[in-house]
Amino acid sequence: MLHILAEFFSAAARRYNQLTMNTATPRVPAIVLHKPLQALNTLGIAASATAYLPVSSYADLQAVRADQSLSTLPRLVLGGGSNLVLSSNFDGLVLHLVNQGKIVVGEDDNYTIVRAQAGENWHAFVQWTLNQNLPGLENLSLIPGSVGAAPIQNIGAYGSELKDFFHSLTYFDFATGEVCVLDRDACRFGYRDSIFKHELRNRAVILEVSFSFPRSWQPNLSYSELANEISARGLITPSAFEISEAVIAIRHRKLPDPAVIGNVGSFFKNPFVAHEIHGALKEKYPQLVSYPQADGSIKLAAGWLIDQCGWKGRSLGAAGVHEKQALVLINRGGASGADILKLAHAIHEDVRLRFGVTLEIEPVVI
Ligand code: EPU
């Protein structure tokens, strides 16, 4: 593993150093003005951007940084647009990562390392890894979005998180103009969290992500709903493909397809509360859904809290709460970002008044 790592880091540095030399005089990028963004965000909000650039290489970013009229604009880095709420038109430059490609870069007796470009579709990438006989990402099947956006919130589902198979990533730093490589520890992954939501927010553009697949794969059936689905299918020793199919079936049953109903998946994070607060809530609400954590805190199911407040299936104007999962807000047609946020605020207040628990919005609000 160490051998692959060292080789990998120096290869990444070499590639980008060559690029730097090739682009000593950066070309002027093909900027689109007044770009509609409705088709580029899965909530389907009709907003636009003052300027837009499809980014297919590091050279595009270098050119933006070198151009004074572009480098001073507010920036929005866009992947699949599946974790984004556009509260108004964006008065700045949208950098839309569209770079494609995925490749096995190295292997030894224990691990295979795969590198994917940021603009790759996440689910298509997961299916590709399974077809390469590289199990590991199956529990993360069908999560909307792009490979480059996945580390930002450390995407997770059905007992698995991106960080479990993450190796390293390469990003362009707008502050310094440098291309940097971060390993797993440096990314400081947490629950729907990473360094890209903190120190590197508004500064880093993730260009490519590498994953490490151990040869000793074991199915992860720790999430009871997935384990139940597998046994309902009569599977005793499921393959990674079979797990992927089961995850896809559960998601189809519970979560709206963004191609049909605008949504960004879970709208709130599941909140953490102290042991004593959990105890008091459990006494009052014996059905409370909660998950004890290793650090002694307790994670509550935000969907359950919102459901108990009677929001499931309800609407406020064109913004609604999904009929099958109260954690998912939906665009019933023509909702603005402000409509969605108004509904989110009403839910936030109801949960706070009833349970004394503060919900935090999961997607990025612009
Ligand atoms: N619940 C209700 N009513 C609801 C929704 C949920 O009572 O309307 C209860 C369920 O019965 C269950 C518990 O709440 O006992 C948890 O629900 P679920 O299994 O659907 O998972 P979740 O905690 O609501 C999280 C992730 C999802 C991920 C699922 C499966 C977050 C914020 N959300 O949802 O991720 O798919 O677990 O692992 O952690 C996303 O991030 O966009 C996302 C969809």
Side-chain angles (χ1 to χ4, degrees), residues 1 4 106-113 184 212-215:
M1 178 69 168
I4 301 183
E107 54 192 322
D108 64 13
D109 290 345
N110 301 317
Y111 294 92
T112 302
I113 310 282
R184 181 175 11 208
S212 161
F213 295 92
R215 286 209 196 287

Side-chain angles (χ1 to χ4, degrees), residues 158 191-192 223 254 266 268 270 291 307 312 325-326 362:
Y158 306 106
Y191 167 59
R192 298 297 193 276
Y223 205 84
K254 290 180 66 170
S266 300
F268 299 98
N270 284 328
Y291 314 94
D307 198 353
K312 201 174 190 165
Q325 227 296 10
E362 195 205 75

Side-chain angles (χ1 to χ4, degrees), residues 82-83 143-144 153 155-160 191-192 223 225 251 254-255 264-270 289 291 299-308 312 322-328 362:
S82 59
N83 204 41
I143 295 183
Q153 58 155 340
I155 57 170
Y158 306 106
S160 190
Y191 167 59
R192 298 297 193 276
Y223 205 84
E225 195 177 3
R251 292 189 74 99
K254 290 180 66 170
L255 298 169
V264 285
S266 300
F267 203 89
F268 299 98
K269 290 186 188 182
N270 284 328
V289 180
Y291 314 94
K299 186 154 99 171
L300 303 180
W304 185 88
L305 300 172
I306 298 168
D307 198 353
Q308 292 301 302
K312 201 174 190 165
H322 188 50
E323 283 69 14
K324 296 176 190 151
Q325 227 296 10
L327 199 48
V328 178
E362 195 205 75

Side-chain angles (χ1 to χ4, degrees), residues 220-240:
N220 176 355
L221 301 177
S222 57
Y223 205 84
S224 57
E225 195 177 3
L226 178 57
N228 294 343
E229 177 72 24
I230 292 293
S231 53
R233 288 167 176 244
L235 301 167
I236 309 294
T237 50
S239 68

Side-chain angles (χ1 to χ4, degrees), residues 2 20 62 88 125 140 143 155 166-167 184 186 214 221 240 344:
L2 281 178
T20 312
Q62 212 196 22
S88 60
F125 172 65
L140 304 179
I143 295 183
I155 57 170
F166 177 89
H167 178 278
R184 181 175 11 208
L221 301 177

